[in-house]
């Protein structure tokens, strides 16, 4: 684009928008070219990480809205999270001086757009819902809801001849009518080994639930299909109402949402997709970037690109693009603040818990903002032992037992370890057996015991629990859900040795349970928790999608069997899983100044592969 043409386009934009001239001059040729793109031809803007696409969409939408002349139709600008929708709204208002009321246009999430213009006004025609006090709109029920009325829609199934109630919110039917499950823990239970009668009951209960005026967000795509199929005129009406739809983060489109958009496109709607298909990490929601790419390729979409990354320095850009295998030249515009900025660390069982402190030293040495630096992994199990140390009173009862056994039986036990063990065991036994009535200054000694007698009793209790430690089974780490039954067997045997008026075991048993959401996590991780210094936000890759950070420490799981968590699964070689590679790409493209990847000790061939990505090895 020549300077003269760019200046001419910017003048046209300035006349229409409430924008400062100096802000418009900062726009790149690619950004200006897209903002000026003819609205009545469908397009795909492929935007690299850090490309300023939200700013560009905001200016583009504000520019088109400012020229819009129709009062009974408008532009829909949709994205996929409430926070992203809020940011888009703010950008459009900033550049376009748009009032609080955006009618006839829409800016918000895809779900809210579908609800407002299709599901809420028309679903009752499909379901025959008579309404409540004249209100025929659908009530959205959260999948986690335990509202009493839901039991009317339960399906009873049998496993091992035992009845199990399946809630109507536990499952849904996708756009193609295929039964899907909201909670992956229940997937095998609901989809495997069901009788024809049970399968039919699932559908019958779901239809009754919807006919009564209820639905979950997961049900929406199924309802859309049936609505648009039974009342095809709605396709044309919705296309007339929104002749232009801009889809931000288009890589997050599910197949069902894509089909809805195709129906509207076939009736005249122009679609403008914006995003990076390599950042699609929602496969669990039936999102397929391959299908989106095929759809774009198979239809007359004008293709545009944003290849300037204003987030990261060039070495980080190079590593992230090498991970995903991108051949397009992406230019990083952030200054390089660290030398080197892309680093490879290796850990072993003895140094794993030192990673946060090492990361802290690095961040401080390079004068980076710790609050904008994050420790990441693919899954929670990798990070469980690195989370911030808990207060000694913040553990569950099962965790207290595990800590007590650990400090009693650990190698090279110290006097401090013995005191910790007696403290944790005394506390949990006092809570369970004596209602918490004990002397906290003396290992929670109950009134019926003398202090020395209580310490000797705790010692005998610990010796009688030797079979529970170390936290391994057949040479591998034992997880909580497998360790808990073993703990209960020991507790039943030892419970009768407690004296005085104690709470009976049958009343205690339910209180000794697997820690919430930790069933698959190794028991030994709770012991590591007590010694780790970690000042950083420690989370999964999913939770930082869309963020800009100063530095990240991306940690590989030590086990190759970890689903997408081991570094070998982040490389494009052999029988790789495309989504695992995309996860690594999303993580690597978050930081501005420093990208550190930590792996278990490497063989030479693996070290060479990671160095080829652009990482500098610092063992």
């Amino acid at each position: 684009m020549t300077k003269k043409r760019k200046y001419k386009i910017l003048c046209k934009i300035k006349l229409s928008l409430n924008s400062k001239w100096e802000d418009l001059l900062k726009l790149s040729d690619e950004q200006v070219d897209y903002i000026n793109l003819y609205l009545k031809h469908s397009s795909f803007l492929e935007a690299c990480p850090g490309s300023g696409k939200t700013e560009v969409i905001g200016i583009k939408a504000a520019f088109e809205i400012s020229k819009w002349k129709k009062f009974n139709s408008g532009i829909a600008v949709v994205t996929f999270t409430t926070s992203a929708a809020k940011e888009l709204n703010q950008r459009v208002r900033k550049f376009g001086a748009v009032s609080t009321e955006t009618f006839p246009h829409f800016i918000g999430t895809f779900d809210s757009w579908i609800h407002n213009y299709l599901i809420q006004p028309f679903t009752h025609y499909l379901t025959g819902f008579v309404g409540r006090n004249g209100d025929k709109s659908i009530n959205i029920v959260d999948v986690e809801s335990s509202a009493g009325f839901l039991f009317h829609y339960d399906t009873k199934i049998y496993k091992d001849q035992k009845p199990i109630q399946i809630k109507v919110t536990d499952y849904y039917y996708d756009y193609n009518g295929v039964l899907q499950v909201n909670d992956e823990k229940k997937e095998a239970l609901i989809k495997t080994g069901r009788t024809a009668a049970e399968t039919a009951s699932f559908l019958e209960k779901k239809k009754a639930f919807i006919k009564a005026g209820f639905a979950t967000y997961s049900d929406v795509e199924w309802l859309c299909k049936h609505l648009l199929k039974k009342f095809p005129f709605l396709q044309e009406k919705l296309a007339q109402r929104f002749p232009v739809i801009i889809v931000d983060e288009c890589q997050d489109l599910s197949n069902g949402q894509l089909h809805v958009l195709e129906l509207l496109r076939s009736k005249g709607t122009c679609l403008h997709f914006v995003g990076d298909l390599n950042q699609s990490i929602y496969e669990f929601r039936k999102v397929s970037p391959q299908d989106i790419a095929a759809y774009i390729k198979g239809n007359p979409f004008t293709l545009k690109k944003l290849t300037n990354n204003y987030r990261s320095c060039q070495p980080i850009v190079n590593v992230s693009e090498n991970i995903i295998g991108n051949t397009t030249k992406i230019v990083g515009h952030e200054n390089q603040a660290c030398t080197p900025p892309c680093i490879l660390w290796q850990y072993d069982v003895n140094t794993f818990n030192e990673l946060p402190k090492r990361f802290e030293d690095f961040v401080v040495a390079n004068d980076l903002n710790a609050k904008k630096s994050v420790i990441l992994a693919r899954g929670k199990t990798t990070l469980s032992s690195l989370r911030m140390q808990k207060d000694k009173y913040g553990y569950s009862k099962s965790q207290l037992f595990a800590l007590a056994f650990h400090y009693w039986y650990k190698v090279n036990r110290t006097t401090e370890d013995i005191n910790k063990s007696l403290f944790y065991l005394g506390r949990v036994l006092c809570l369970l057996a004596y209602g918490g009535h004990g002397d906290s200054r003396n290992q929670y000694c109950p009134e019926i015991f003398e202090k020395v007698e209580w310490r000797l009793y705790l010692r005998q209790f610990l010796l009688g629990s030797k079979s529970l430690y170390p936290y391994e089974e057949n040479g591998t780490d034992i997880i909580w859900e497998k360790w808990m039954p073993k703990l209960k067997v020991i507790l039943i045997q030892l419970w009768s040795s407690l004296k005085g008026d104690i709470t009976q075991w049958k009343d205690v048993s339910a209180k000794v349970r697997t820690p919430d959401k930790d069933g698959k996590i190794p028991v030994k991780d709770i012991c590591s928790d007590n010694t780790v210094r970690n000042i950083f936000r420690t989370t999964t890759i999913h939770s930082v999608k869309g963020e800009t950070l100063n530095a990240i420490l991306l940690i590989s799981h030590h086990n190759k069997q970890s689903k997408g968590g081991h570094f070998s699964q982040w490389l494009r070689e052999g029988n790789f899983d495309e989504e695992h590679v995309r996860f690594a790409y999303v993580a690597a493209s978050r930081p501005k100044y420093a990208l550190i990847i930590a792996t278990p000790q490497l063989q030479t061939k693996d070290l060479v592969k990671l160095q080829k990505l652009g990482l500098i090895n610092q063992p």
Side-chain angles (χ1 to χ4, degrees):
M1 178 182 292
T2 65
K3 289 184 178 180
K4 183 177 179 180
R5 173 166 170 73
K6 181 177 180 180
Y7 184 80
K8 185 176 179 180
I9 295 171
L10 289 177
C11 287
K12 182 172 64 172
I13 295 171
K14 181 69 178 73
L15 288 173
S16 299
L17 299 184
N18 181 36
S19 302
K20 294 180 181 178
W21 184 247
E22 54 266 32
D23 290 338
L24 293 178
L25 288 174
K26 293 176 183 178
L27 295 171
S28 70
D29 291 359
E30 293 173 331
Q31 292 172 331
V32 172
D33 185 43
Y34 178 73
I35 294 167
N36 191 52
L37 189 68
Y38 187 48
L39 198 63
K40 294 186 178 180
H41 286 164
S42 294
S43 70
F44 170 47
L45 177 64
E46 184 180 355
C48 74
S51 61
K53 72 172 178 62
T54 304
E55 189 93 343
V56 172
I57 295 172
I59 297 175
K60 173 69 172 172
F63 182 48
E64 298 298 344
I65 288 172
S66 72
K67 300 185 295 177
W68 198 262
K69 303 300 182 185
K70 299 177 182 178
F71 297 101
N72 59 351
S73 66
I75 300 170
V77 184
V78 298
T79 187
F80 295 89
T81 65
T82 303
S83 59
K86 182 179 179 181
E87 188 174 356
L88 273 175
N89 243 309
Q90 291 172 342
R91 300 295 174 92
V92 172
R93 297 180 195 286
K94 170 187 172 183
F95 296 116
V98 178
S99 63
T100 304
E101 177 57 62
T102 58
F103 185 85
H105 311 289
F106 175 87
I107 304 170
T109 65
F110 195 101
D111 283 342
S112 60
W113 174 66
I114 283 291
H115 273 83
N116 289 345
Y117 293 96
L118 189 61
I119 296 299
Q120 294 293 16
F122 301 112
T123 299
H124 67 93
Y125 291 113
L126 176 70
T127 63
F129 176 49
V130 296
R132 302 178 187 88
N133 299 320
D135 181 8
K136 297 183 179 182
S137 60
I138 290 289
N139 288 291
I140 297 298
V141 178
D142 191 278
V143 295
E144 301 293 334
S145 175
S146 56
F149 75 89
L150 289 174
F151 82 90
H152 292 296
Y153 307 102
D154 285 356
T155 296
K156 183 186 290 186
I157 65 173
Y158 290 86
K159 182 180 181 182
D160 301 328
Q161 298 182 333
K162 295 180 180 179
I164 301 173
Q165 297 295 120
I166 300 298
K167 293 165 58 179
V168 72
T169 53
D170 285 339
Y171 63 92
Y172 66 98
Y173 293 86
D174 65 19
Y175 191 82
N176 295 313
V178 178
L179 178 67
Q180 304 292 350
V181 182
N182 283 315
D183 185 348
E184 63 179 15
K185 293 178 181 178
K186 296 181 180 179
E187 185 153 9
L189 178 65
I190 292 175
K191 297 176 74 172
T192 305
R194 297 298 109 225
T195 65
E198 289 172 338
T199 302
S201 180
F202 287 144
L203 182 58
E204 178 187 342
K205 295 292 186 179
K206 179 63 76 173
K207 286 182 176 179
F209 175 67
I210 292 172
K211 190 172 182 178
F214 302 107
T216 67
Y217 279 112
S218 303
D219 296 325
V220 167
E221 290 179 17
W222 187 52
L223 284 172
C224 282
K225 177 179 181 177
H226 287 283
L227 261 176
L228 295 173
K229 183 179 179 180
K230 186 169 183 178
F231 305 109
F233 73 89
L234 289 176
Q235 301 172 25
E236 192 166 336
K237 291 296 183 183
L238 195 55
Q240 290 172 352
R241 178 64 182 82
F242 292 103
V244 176
I245 300 175
I246 300 173
V247 183
D248 180 32
E249 302 288 2
C250 68
Q251 70 271 9
D252 295 337
L253 282 166
S254 69
N255 284 335
Q257 291 167 335
L258 193 61
H259 288 150
V260 170
L261 292 175
E262 167 54 20
L263 289 175
L264 300 186
R265 192 194 68 82
S266 70
K267 299 298 181 182
T269 294
C270 292
L271 304 177
H272 295 273
F273 288 179
V274 182
D276 181 358
L277 299 185
N278 290 324
Q279 293 190 59
S280 177
I281 55 173
Y282 291 107
E283 200 169 277
F284 67 92
R285 280 181 41 216
K286 315 304 174 188
V287 171
S288 169
Q290 293 85 0
D291 289 346
I292 299 170
Y295 178 75
I296 292 169
K297 186 176 181 180
N299 289 288
F301 278 65
T302 300
L303 305 182
K304 296 289 181 179
K305 290 187 178 184
L306 297 181
T307 59
N308 289 283
N309 184 324
Y310 300 98
R311 173 188 295 151
S312 305
C313 61
Q314 191 64 53
I316 291 176
V317 170
N318 293 343
V319 170
S320 59
E321 297 304 322
N322 287 340
I323 287 172
I324 205 64
N326 187 16
T327 56
T328 301
K329 175 63 177 176
I330 305 298
V331 180
H333 288 268
E334 183 55 76
N335 294 325
Q336 185 171 321
C338 307
T339 303
C342 304
I343 301 170
L344 175 64
W345 289 347
Q346 299 176 50
Y347 66 80
D348 56 27
V349 67
N350 296 315
T351 59
F352 180 78
N353 284 347
E354 298 172 6
L355 289 173
K357 182 61 172 66
R358 188 178 181 185
F359 188 44
E360 180 183 348
D361 293 342
F362 175 89
V363 167
V364 171
N366 287 279
D367 198 26
L368 301 178
N369 188 338
K371 291 183 178 180
K372 293 183 179 180
S373 301
V374 176
I375 297 177
L376 294 177
R378 172 67 174 87
K380 293 179 181 178
T381 55
T382 309
L383 301 170
S384 59
S385 66
L386 298 181
R387 298 192 187 278
M388 193 69 179
Q389 177 180 347
K390 293 184 180 179
D391 181 272
K392 63 183 179 181
Y393 300 104
Y395 295 104
S396 72
K397 296 174 179 64
S398 303
Q399 291 170 330
L400 289 171
F401 278 118
L403 287 166
F405 301 148
H406 167 70
Y407 283 111
W408 186 262
Y409 286 108
K410 66 181 292 191
V411 178
N412 300 322
R413 184 181 68 184
T414 64
T415 301
E416 183 182 358
D417 292 330
I418 293 174
N419 289 332
K420 282 184 177 181
S421 176
L422 296 176
F423 172 87
Y424 287 126
L425 182 60
R427 176 170 167 75
V428 68
L429 289 180
C430 179
L431 287 169
L432 291 172
Y434 298 99
H437 301 299
D439 183 356
S440 61
R441 294 169 297 178
N442 291 283
Q443 296 84 40
Y444 289 85
C445 178
E447 291 181 3
I448 198 169
F449 283 88
E450 294 294 331
K451 295 171 186 175
V452 174
E453 181 189 12
W454 178 241
R455 287 175 66 93
L456 290 173
Y457 175 80
L458 294 178
R459 176 179 179 275
Q460 287 302 120
F461 198 103
L462 288 162
L463 293 175
S465 307
K466 192 175 190 311
S467 62
L468 295 172
Y469 193 88
Y471 302 129
E472 296 177 354
E473 188 174 54
N474 299 323
T476 60
D477 295 340
I478 190 168
I479 60 178
W480 279 101
E481 64 183 27
K482 291 188 176 180
W483 186 73
M484 288 306 301
K486 298 176 183 291
L487 172 62
K488 287 195 173 186
V489 168
I490 296 295
L491 292 181
I492 292 170
Q493 295 171 358
L494 295 175
W495 206 253
S496 59
S497 64
L498 286 163
K499 69 178 185 177
D501 185 16
I502 65 170
T503 305
Q504 296 302 304
W505 172 251
K506 63 182 178 61
D507 299 319
V508 168
S509 179
K511 298 178 181 180
V512 183
R513 57 180 183 270
T514 301
D516 291 344
K517 301 180 181 180
D518 285 353
K520 303 294 184 183
I521 292 177
V523 178
K524 73 171 189 179
D525 288 357
I526 191 66
C527 309
S528 302
D529 240 351
N530 268 349
T531 57
V532 174
R533 172 182 169 83
N534 184 0
I535 66 170
F536 298 100
R537 176 182 164 204
T538 301
T539 187
T540 61
I541 297 170
H542 255 132
S543 67
V544 298
K545 187 172 183 283
E547 291 189 33
T548 295
L549 302 164
N550 273 200
I552 70 157
L553 170 59
L554 175 61
I555 302 179
S556 161
H557 198 282
H558 65 86
N559 190 340
K560 284 188 176 182
Q561 302 306 312
S562 169
K563 186 179 179 181
H566 191 263
F567 75 88
S568 63
Q569 297 162 339
W570 303 340
L571 304 173
R572 282 177 171 272
E573 61 176 29
N575 187 27
F576 68 89
D577 185 302
E578 191 73 38
E579 190 179 45
H580 297 336
V581 179
R582 294 197 300 271
F583 264 100
Y585 172 69
V586 168
S589 58
R590 297 308 95 199
K592 299 171 70 173
Y593 307 118
L595 166 64
I596 303 174
I597 296 180
T599 70
Q601 291 294 319
L602 297 167
Q603 297 180 0
T604 302
K605 63 178 182 178
D606 291 324
L607 175 59
V608 170
K609 291 174 187 175
L610 291 170
Q611 287 176 319
K612 283 183 177 180
L613 293 178
L615 299 170
I616 304 300
N617 185 40
Q618 291 184 352

